[in-house]
Amino acid sequence: MDTENLSIDSTCVKVHESSNGGKKAKNKAVGRTKGGLNTKIHAIVDGLGNPVAFLLSPGNDNDSTHAIELMEKTDIAGGNLLGDKAYGTKDILAYIQKHGATVVIPPKSNTKEPWPVDYFLYKERHLVECFFQKIKWFRRVATRYDKLDVSFLAFVYMAAIMIWLL
């Protein structure tokens, strides 16, 4: 595992109509968006594009609301954390710097105090996008058929293991 460069991002997964039944839970990771019901898979991948940590959230949640919770699942110290502009909040930047990692997140265009970014290193963020493309080869991940978050997340882990072994 190459923890020098860690990339963070999320992707939306369409929820199949038959999967939204079952026990209604307050914390069920299904949210309504313009495109219908969605679940978001948040992930951190290492410098080789291998998965490090996962988290599920409703599809209508912002990426930045779950970033710190996801980063707590892995050791980010001493490396570079690459993310898109959605992760450029003060809380996330403070968390990354507090844990001894380098921020490689471009500031939004309306940021009052923009920070410097190594755009050459930022290009490595494509690894997380490539990982999401690979994980969506598995039909059960590309469209969520599972009613329970636990069983869906278990299959996401199984798909990640298959990708890791390839």
Side-chain angles (χ1 to χ4, degrees):
M1 187 161 75
D2 180 15
T3 59
E4 182 180 353
N5 295 326
L6 296 172
S7 300
I8 185 171
D9 206 0
S10 70
T11 187
C12 284
V13 174
K14 196 100 163 124
V15 175
H16 193 266
E17 62 186 26
S18 66
S19 70
N20 199 28
K23 209 176 210 181
K24 298 292 181 193
K26 175 171 94 170
N27 58 354
K28 190 169 184 181
V30 174
R32 186 167 298 280
T33 62
K34 280 184 178 180
L37 297 175
N38 284 313
T39 293
K40 269 192 183 177
I41 302 173
H42 302 268
I44 294 180
V45 300
D46 66 4
L48 302 172
N50 296 321
V52 176
F54 293 108
L55 185 71
L56 294 180
S57 74
N60 55 352
D61 281 2
N62 191 326
D63 292 353
S64 63
T65 56
H66 300 283
I68 293 176
E69 182 182 355
L70 182 61
M71 287 186 284
E72 288 173 346
K73 293 184 172 196
T74 186
D75 181 25
I76 64 170
N80 301 308
L81 192 80
L82 292 71
D84 57 16
K85 293 180 181 185
Y87 297 98
T89 65
K90 289 181 182 179
D91 294 337
I92 294 172
L93 298 176
Y95 181 88
I96 294 169
Q97 291 168 347
K98 178 180 147 191
H99 285 83
T102 306
V103 175
V104 186
I105 300 172
K108 293 181 183 175
S109 60
N110 62 352
T111 304
K112 292 181 181 173
E113 297 175 19
W115 53 90
V117 178
D118 183 355
Y119 285 100
F120 183 76
L121 184 58
Y122 180 71
K123 290 178 183 180
E124 294 296 316
R125 200 185 71 78
H126 80 282
L127 290 170
V128 71
E129 303 294 348
C130 292
F131 169 72
F132 284 135
Q133 185 231 353
K134 288 177 191 173
I135 205 166
K136 286 187 176 183
W137 289 346
F138 296 87
R139 190 178 77 143
R140 193 168 164 184
V141 174
T143 302
R144 180 180 171 166
Y145 296 105
D146 299 299
K147 291 185 181 187
L148 301 176
D149 291 346
V150 201
S151 55
F152 178 65
L153 188 59
F155 195 79
V156 170
Y157 276 105
M158 290 290 292
I161 290 168
M162 293 296 292
I163 289 169
W164 199 310
L165 293 175
L166 293 177

